[in-house]
Amino acid sequence: MLSIADTLFQSRLLTGSGKFASPTLMRDAIGASGSQLVTLALKRIEQGQTPDRTLSELRQLNVQLLPNTSGAKTAQDAVLAAKIGRDLLGTHWVKLEIHPDPRYLLPDPIETLKAAEELVQLGFVVLPYCSADPTLCLRLQEVGCHAVMPLGSPIGSNQGLQTRDFLRIIIEQCTVPVIVDAGIGAPSHAAEAFELGADAVLVNTAIACASDPIAMARAFRLTCDAAMLAREGRISSPALQARATSPLTSFLER
Amino acid sequence: MQILINQRPIHCTSHDTLDSVLNVFAQGSGVDINDIAVAADNTVIPRSQWATYALTANASFSVFVAVAGG
């Protein structure tokens, strides 16, 4: 079971609610994924904007909501967003994300660390989206974050685990759960994250933008379950030379 | 007097509370009053304070909702 801040989750697949063609499709896909921790964003109400049904649809599922701080460009913005999320959703959990650069959406490590420290002191359970920087992840852990969420590749890019060598170090060093976030574009990428030793993955675009999001959600669910079973079974280490699987007796020779 | 909610001018009287003004605003925006959060001057005004929060002329509030996001 995945344990974050003393809360247990059977599913190791976190999902995002963005980019789905409709709120009902989002609900059905997330339901099919088996995810128990689901992110959503916060937004100022715009005049003439059609009301967003994400929240009412998600409330029909038995999932824990995880508001993010997307849109925040500084630590100060992020702290305010976290407080808004707490008041709106009644949760002190927050996915901290500060990415001022709209092109690559790469997280600002300095503002993220600053915000994380303040939010932890305010009593939040902080799950920071961060670059795959082992030193930063240790610092985030030190200030009291309950997990770290290093990126595999840029958000929504479907490039998979471009940061795999650094993820490996992060997984080796961190004692809090490591949730690989961003860039996971296929179930095989999620499997790779678990084979590296990740505790969980967060998937959004790969499910939401699939031709059949419900089928893809199931595929991720099964992959995550299979990868964890494989971990229990212990994957054999690779070898350079062949290791015979059949007896090498020369039975045809007389 | 006039206040601003998400940059939109709203007319109200001294008898109005933040609670009542937000109710009208939420209805007009098609959202449930229970599904919003409010901030003023970069500070969240907790739901528990809406009924007693004193409105002053030209006060500016930001109202937020949850939306889809990753």
Side-chain angles (χ1 to χ4, degrees):
Chain A
M1 299 255 270
L2 172 66
S3 174
I4 304 173
D6 297 327
T7 303
L8 295 176
F9 300 93
Q10 281 189 320
S11 170
R12 290 173 182 267
L13 173 60
L14 282 69
T15 49
S17 57
K19 296 187 183 174
F20 285 90
S22 74
T24 49
L25 182 60
M26 179 271 300
R27 180 202 62 205
D28 293 344
I30 289 175
S33 76
S35 178
Q36 295 171 298
L37 192 51
V38 182
T39 63
L40 28 68
L42 304 165
K43 197 178 173 200
R44 204 182 297 259
I45 297 176
E46 309 283 353
Q47 201 163 8
Q49 171 190 323
T50 309
D52 188 294
R53 296 199 338 262
T54 302
L55 184 55
S56 56
E57 295 294 339
L58 283 177
R59 281 188 172 139
Q60 295 175 36
L61 300 171
N62 185 26
V63 296
Q64 181 171 330
L65 301 176
L66 180 62
N68 69 29
T69 63
S70 182
K73 294 190 164 104
T74 63
Q76 193 184 6
D77 290 348
V79 170
L80 176 62
K83 290 176 179 173
I84 290 166
R86 180 174 61 184
D87 201 57
L88 207 160
L89 299 170
T91 176
H92 62 295
W93 287 46
V94 63
K95 180 189 169 192
L96 173 62
E97 50 180 296
I98 304 175
H99 36 74
D101 162 33
R103 193 161 172 219
Y104 291 104
L105 299 175
L106 293 173
D108 181 325
I110 295 156
E111 294 297 312
T112 300
L113 183 61
K114 245 198 278 186
E117 192 163 15
E118 187 174 342
L119 287 167
V120 167
Q121 283 170 2
L122 290 169
F124 282 89
V125 170
V126 182
L127 287 69
Y129 167 60
C130 59
S131 40
D133 176 338
T135 306
L136 174 64
C137 286
L138 279 182
R139 292 290 301 272
L140 289 164
Q141 178 179 286
E142 272 169 26
V143 300
C145 290
H146 289 81
V148 289
M149 304 182 74
L151 59 87
S153 50
I155 292 175
S157 69
N158 295 330
Q159 292 178 40
L161 308 189
Q162 299 296 326
T163 59
R164 62 179 61 76
D165 294 342
F166 295 99
L167 291 172
R168 200 175 273 123
I169 299 171
I170 292 165
I171 289 162
E172 184 211 319
Q173 290 186 340
C174 284
T175 52
V176 295
V178 177
I179 303 164
V180 178
D181 183 11
I184 291 179
S188 58
H189 299 157
E192 186 183 4
F194 286 111
E195 286 172 12
L196 292 177
D199 296 282
V201 294
L202 191 150
V203 181
N204 189 158
T205 300
I207 295 175
C209 297
S211 295
D212 184 343
I214 294 172
M216 190 57 74
R218 282 199 66 220
F220 269 100
R221 176 186 197 155
L222 294 169
T223 300
C224 293
D225 289 348
M228 288 312 295
L229 264 179
R231 188 179 291 177
E232 278 176 39
R234 300 225 178 178
I235 295 171
S236 303
S237 54
L240 184 62
Q241 294 183 1
R243 296 168 182 164
T245 48
S246 302
L248 294 177
T249 48
S250 306
F251 68 95
L252 291 175
E253 291 175 14
R254 292 169 188 254
Chain B
M1 66 178 164
Q2 181 178 287
I3 61 167
L4 289 172
I5 298 185
N6 292 4
Q7 306 298 328
R8 206 186 308 175
I10 309 275
H11 294 282
C12 54
T13 70
S14 54
H15 299 296
D16 284 320
T17 61
L18 181 58
D19 208 10
S20 62
V21 172
L22 287 175
N23 243 312
V24 175
F25 181 84
Q27 273 180 17
S29 304
V31 299
D32 190 321
I33 184 87
N34 296 309
D35 293 342
I36 63 170
V38 184
D41 298 324
N42 287 329
T43 304
V44 174
I45 305 170
R47 183 174 298 272
S48 57
Q49 293 175 16
W50 292 357
T52 54
Y53 193 90
L55 294 176
T56 55
N58 302 317
S60 181
F61 300 92
S62 295
V63 178
F64 298 86
V65 287
V67 295

